[in-house]
Amino acid sequence: MTRMMSIGEVARATGVKPTTIRWYEQEGWLPPAARTEGGHRAYGEAHLRRLGFIRHARELGFDSAAIRALLDLASHPEADCGKAHELATAQIQDIDARLRRLSALRAELDRMATGCAGGVAGECRIIETLADFGHGHCDDPAHGAGTSSRVTSVMTVGAKAPKA
């Protein structure tokens, strides 16, 4: 007979919070737990393996739909694994796109920091670059959609009008 564990024990063993375990159960990602005479959930080794699978998929960045599809495949060992390959390949492409975006962000921040030699905020290259959101350096189609603005307009937003 397999040892049954409480939700707290399973949470500690897997690193998955009890609320998340209950949500997985509610969503059908995790089979319903047995219940003790007192009505508490009781989990077994199969639950631990499935939670480990889900957690690992989450760590690899798979979204909910992909995890649901992978869980379905894992439940049918005789099924063709082409869908798993497709999902993994799509995830790799997504990660590559995020890496390109992060690289562009790093390059932009490096340009900003390199151009800043200290001094006053009104002449700060970092603040000036942030105000110039139409420059097109960042790798985001939505970025730079507006018109270019100068640091003085940013610095005066919310500033009190000069007294006459």
Side-chain angles (χ1 to χ4, degrees):
M1 183 170 175
T2 56
R3 177 179 173 267
M4 299 306 280
M5 295 168 276
S6 70
I7 196 166
E9 290 172 311
V10 171
R12 282 187 294 282
T14 62
V16 178
K17 294 178 182 179
T19 54
T20 304
I21 294 170
R22 288 195 275 298
W23 184 83
Y24 289 159
E25 200 173 327
Q26 178 184 348
E27 291 297 309
W29 289 20
L30 194 62
R35 296 288 181 155
T36 65
E37 286 182 24
H40 296 283
R41 289 174 168 87
Y43 297 91
E45 291 296 321
H47 291 101
L48 284 176
R49 285 191 302 277
R50 188 127 170 144
L51 281 168
F53 182 100
I54 294 168
R55 182 171 181 197
H56 197 194
R58 284 267 191 225
E59 289 170 350
L60 291 171
F62 286 104
D63 65 18
S64 294
I67 293 173
R68 194 174 299 278
L70 290 165
L71 285 168
D72 185 53
L73 280 170
S75 297
H76 299 93
E78 72 290 345
D80 177 38
C81 74
K83 181 67 175 174
H85 182 266
E86 178 186 319
L87 291 167
T89 302
Q91 186 61 16
I92 290 167
Q93 291 170 350
D94 184 54
I95 289 168
D96 287 344
R98 283 187 273 161
L99 287 171
R100 285 189 299 275
R101 173 82 173 123
L102 286 171
S103 181
L105 291 174
R106 188 193 186 295
E108 176 70 2
L109 285 168
D110 190 47
R111 273 192 293 278
M112 289 168 44
T114 300
C116 182
V120 296
E123 297 171 4
C124 178
R125 180 69 181 135
I126 294 170
I127 292 174
E128 181 182 340
T129 303
L130 289 171
D132 183 16
F133 56 87
H135 59 76
H137 295 302
C138 294
D139 187 25
D140 181 356
H143 190 87
T147 58
S148 179
S149 59
R150 302 300 299 163
V151 69
T152 54
S153 65
V154 171
M155 297 303 291
T156 58
V157 171
K160 293 180 182 174
K163 292 183 181 179

